[in-house]
Amino acid sequence: MSAGRILSGLETSDATGAEAEAVARMGFLEWVFAEPDAVTARAAQVALDCPEARNAVSPAAQAFVGFLKQAGSGGAARPVRRRRRALALH
């Protein structure tokens, strides 16, 4: 399902606060799993360009846009560095 369609649905929600966040999170996951290709930061940026994202009004729609912005920043995709343990040879 497209981000625009999800946002249109979220605009009809009267959820606020934590409930709006939860509804938006479910919408975001629906968007991620409905995308035919791998979801990348670029895909999130493209989704942010739709009119529904630019004009989000309801708390749930605004929270969804927030999730798209986080995904579009690429910050969550940074690799985690791990220390390598030195192996002691006996």
Side-chain angles (χ1 to χ4, degrees), residues 7-29:
L7 280 160
S8 292
L10 291 173
E11 286 294 359
T12 65
S13 172
D14 58 356
T16 60
E19 185 181 357
E21 289 279 328
V23 171
R25 185 173 292 109
M26 289 179 66
F28 180 77
L29 290 173

Side-chain angles (χ1 to χ4, degrees), residues 23-88:
V23 171
R25 185 173 292 109
M26 289 179 66
F28 180 77
L29 290 173
E30 181 178 352
W31 173 75
V32 167
F33 289 114
E35 282 293 300
D37 297 320
V39 175
T40 62
R42 179 71 186 131
Q45 292 166 352
V46 168
L48 284 168
D49 285 337
C50 75
E52 295 86 354
R54 289 191 304 268
N55 302 313
V57 175
S58 76
Q62 290 177 350
F64 181 84
V65 169
F67 291 132
L68 287 174
K69 286 180 180 178
Q70 288 176 4
S73 72
R78 292 186 183 145
V80 176
R81 288 190 169 180
R82 295 182 182 174
R83 286 189 190 177
R84 293 185 182 189
R85 292 184 184 183
L87 297 175

